[in-house]
Amino acid sequence: MKKLEESYDLLIPFFQNWIKARLEATFSNKEFIRPTFDYSLLDPDLPISKMIGNFNLDSENIILLMTALTPHLEPGLFDRLVKDFLPEGGEFPEIGGTRTKSHRGLLPTGETALFLVAGSVTKNRLAYLTYFDESSPLFKNKILFLEPVNKFDPKLCGRLIIDQEFVEVLTTGKIGIPPLSINFPAEHLHTSMTWDDLVLPDQVWKQINELQIWLKHKETLLSDFDLGRKIKPGYRALFYGPPGTGKTLTATLLGKYTQKDVFRIDLSMIVSKYIGETEKNLSNLFDKAENKDWILFFDEADAIFGKRTGVRDAHDKYANQEVSYLLQRIESYNGLVILASNFKNNIDTAFIRRFSSLIYFPAPRPEDRLQLWTKSIPGQFNLQDEGILKELAEKYELTGSHIINIMQHLTLASLESGNFSLSNELILKSIKREMEKEGK
């Protein structure tokens, strides 16, 4: 945090000097003398340093960024500096700005930023208008945006706003995890488990390792190799196989070991019966996830990626449009997207072609089940019959999820009774109870 504070101890005075120089040039009708700043003085590991480097921001873009960020750092800065040049008060339209009921300081608008980078000379102002459209890295990557204005008002009189998540990362060094809501229909996944808790065949481990390699080297792949301009920016994987075989845990552990946040998308909150609402919900989700390097996990993906039918009515037409829009956003997302399904055949073949990898999670074999039983039994338990685990592994076709549920039931029963000696009879009763839940 100290280094973060030190960076603004350097940047804010530079920004103040820029504002003063622009005001001095305007009120004295003199040439604007650009203040300079040595960006190498900033710690390269700080978020603002990374943003400047990653988006190749020039001084003018940095001024735009600081203009939008200043109300969050020094709310009275603009008023204080303008007052030095207008001590008796008065109108100064060039500076732009607006005020709200809850914020008494001047809030910068697009006009404020344009004045600071271009001054009052029409030729210069026209040259810098592109800094406010999609050709600008700050607007293209949705770091900055202009608040919508009334129909006949100039576009730049809208407030210049910095996305709240970028405010968080630039002022605290990290982004808070958004809660599950209608505006962000995704649950943050985390676990205390490790790769050692997961039992999978060697072929599956090999494919998971390929995902880790992509997550590790994706930036280099896209930026340093000619291949980067020929491939799509993200990676799309399909996890399929019976329930309880480790698909969700694998996605969560991928995030844990590559230090990336994983979000499970709640499709029930995204899909709407109202025309256009599904696309809107998806747009909100992907806009928020863009450039965050999050792993997006669509569980039970066949609910929306299932095989499409012929268009018989308007409902079919709009359902297909929703799927097409989702596919478009997934393909343009620059991170890892994982879709999970119990059956690959449930997924439309048109989507299968677009996956970078297909990973099958099979039901565990007897030797796998033995490992799962062994790993899941808490150290506090004492098995009355040490040979029971091998017998259970061979006889009962249970998944890792089943076995964890069984052990939870046994542990609660033992905590209640105070007896941590596991008899064969007690284990078999718990197995029967678990299997009856699925009608077996």
Side-chain angles (χ1 to χ4, degrees):
M1 192 67 182
K2 184 179 179 181
K3 289 183 178 180
L4 191 65
E5 293 168 355
E6 290 173 350
S7 70
Y8 289 113
D9 286 342
L10 297 171
L11 279 169
I12 290 177
F14 161 67
F15 184 56
Q16 287 177 323
N17 289 336
W18 187 291
I19 299 173
K20 288 178 181 178
R22 181 60 73 189
L23 291 169
E24 178 71 31
T26 301
F27 280 92
S28 302
N29 199 25
K30 295 180 180 178
E31 181 183 356
F32 173 62
I33 308 298
R34 290 168 58 98
T36 59
F37 182 76
D38 183 1
Y39 297 106
S40 67
L41 296 174
L42 300 176
D43 188 309
D45 293 326
L46 290 175
I48 194 160
S49 303
K50 292 181 178 178
M51 184 179 289
I52 291 170
N54 291 344
F55 297 114
N56 195 27
L57 301 183
D58 59 18
S59 293
E60 283 74 13
N61 269 311
I62 294 170
I63 292 301
L64 260 68
L65 182 64
M66 290 299 297
T67 301
L69 190 59
T70 290
H72 302 274
L73 298 172
E74 290 199 24
L77 179 64
F78 293 111
D79 288 300
R80 187 168 65 250
L81 294 178
V82 171
K83 188 176 180 181
D84 290 342
F85 291 86
L86 289 172
E88 304 299 324
E91 291 294 323
F92 181 42
E94 288 88 343
I95 197 66
T98 187
R99 301 179 193 276
T100 65
K101 291 181 180 179
S102 55
H103 186 91
R104 298 184 65 182
L106 183 144
L107 292 169
T109 58
E111 291 167 342
T112 311
L114 184 60
F115 169 73
L116 292 179
V117 298
S120 303
V121 179
T122 302
K123 179 179 69 173
N124 294 342
R125 293 171 69 85
L126 290 172
Y128 281 106
L129 284 177
T130 56
Y131 279 64
F132 298 87
D133 61 28
E134 287 297 307
S135 64
S136 159
L138 294 173
F139 282 83
K140 178 181 179 181
N141 292 287
K142 295 179 173 56
I143 299 168
L144 300 183
F145 58 95
L146 289 172
E147 188 176 51
V149 297
N150 294 328
K151 184 176 180 181
F152 299 110
D153 287 340
K155 173 185 174 183
L156 292 185
C157 73
R159 282 174 55 197
L160 181 67
I161 299 173
I162 180 170
D163 183 270
Q164 185 57 39
E165 288 181 349
F166 285 101
V167 174
E168 289 182 39
V169 76
L170 291 174
T171 56
T172 68
K174 59 184 180 181
I175 298 178
I177 300 300
L180 176 68
S181 68
I182 191 65
N183 295 320
F184 187 72
E187 173 194 6
H188 185 239
L189 297 181
H190 52 85
T191 182
S192 59
M193 298 177 77
T194 69
W195 285 127
D196 289 338
D197 295 306
L198 198 58
V199 178
L200 296 169
D202 290 342
Q203 178 59 29
V204 178
W205 281 119
K206 181 180 178 182
Q207 291 176 286
I208 291 171
N209 188 51
E210 289 174 359
L211 294 183
Q212 292 188 91
I213 291 171
W214 183 85
L215 288 166
K216 179 180 178 182
H217 296 292
K218 69 163 190 162
E219 297 299 336
T220 305
L221 174 69
L222 294 173
S223 61
D224 295 354
F225 287 79
D226 186 55
L227 186 64
R229 63 187 178 84
K230 301 175 183 176
I231 59 177
K232 291 182 172 66
Y235 197 97
R236 294 150 298 281
L238 174 67
F239 289 1
Y240 68 101
T245 51
K247 298 186 289 294
T248 302
L249 179 57
T250 297
T252 310
L253 289 172
L254 275 170
K256 179 177 181 177
Y257 282 92
T258 58
Q259 298 183 322
K260 301 184 189 303
D261 291 310
V262 183
F263 290 90
R264 175 166 50 196
I265 314 306
D266 188 337
L267 288 171
S268 68
M269 295 178 70
I270 285 181
V271 178
S272 172
K273 64 181 179 180
Y274 298 106
I275 293 172
E277 280 297 305
T278 299
E279 290 91 332
K280 179 182 176 182
N281 295 338
L282 287 167
S283 179
N284 290 339
L285 170 70
F286 279 99
D287 286 349
K288 201 167 188 68
E290 201 69 41
N291 299 311
K292 304 290 195 319
D293 216 14
W294 291 343
I295 297 174
L296 301 182
F297 180 70
F298 288 81
D299 201 5
E300 299 181 4
D302 37 346
I304 194 168
F305 279 100
K307 293 183 177 180
R308 290 175 287 185
T309 58
V311 177
R312 297 186 299 271
D313 53 31
H315 178 270
D316 291 336
K317 175 184 177 182
Y318 287 111
N320 287 346
Q321 285 181 0
E322 291 168 356
V323 173
S324 297
Y325 180 78
L326 176 55
L327 186 62
Q328 172 196 333
R329 292 306 301 260
I330 284 178
E331 287 196 303
S332 63
Y333 180 62
N334 59 3
L336 173 61
V337 176
I338 299 172
L339 276 63
S341 173
N342 293 340
F343 302 98
K344 184 178 75 170
N345 290 341
N346 285 355
I347 304 295
D348 195 299
T349 53
F351 308 143
I352 294 291
R353 295 196 305 270
R354 292 173 166 86
F355 288 114
S356 307
S357 66
L358 308 174
I359 304 179
Y360 175 58
F361 287 72
R365 300 162 299 180
E367 58 268 30
D368 298 326
R369 294 196 290 269
L370 179 58
Q371 282 193 63
L372 289 167
W373 277 110
T374 303
K375 289 173 182 287
S376 65
I377 296 179
Q380 294 89 335
F381 281 108
N382 174 40
L383 283 172
Q384 292 182 3
D385 178 5
E386 293 291 341
I388 186 66
L389 295 185
K390 185 175 182 181
E391 181 181 332
L392 295 175
E394 291 177 348
K395 185 174 181 181
Y396 297 100
E397 295 182 358
L398 301 170
T399 66
S401 179
H402 290 139
I403 292 171
I404 290 297
N405 287 342
I406 291 166
M407 291 312 306
Q408 176 177 284
H409 177 254
L410 288 170
T411 302
L412 288 172
S414 296
L415 285 169
E416 181 65 18
S417 66
N419 179 14
F420 291 89
S421 178
L422 288 181
S423 66
N424 294 2
E425 180 183 3
L426 192 58
I427 296 173
L428 290 172
K429 280 184 178 179
S430 293
I431 291 174
K432 180 180 179 183
R433 173 181 175 275
E434 182 66 20
M435 297 180 76
E436 284 177 346
K437 285 163 49 179
E438 299 183 4
K440 296 181 180 178

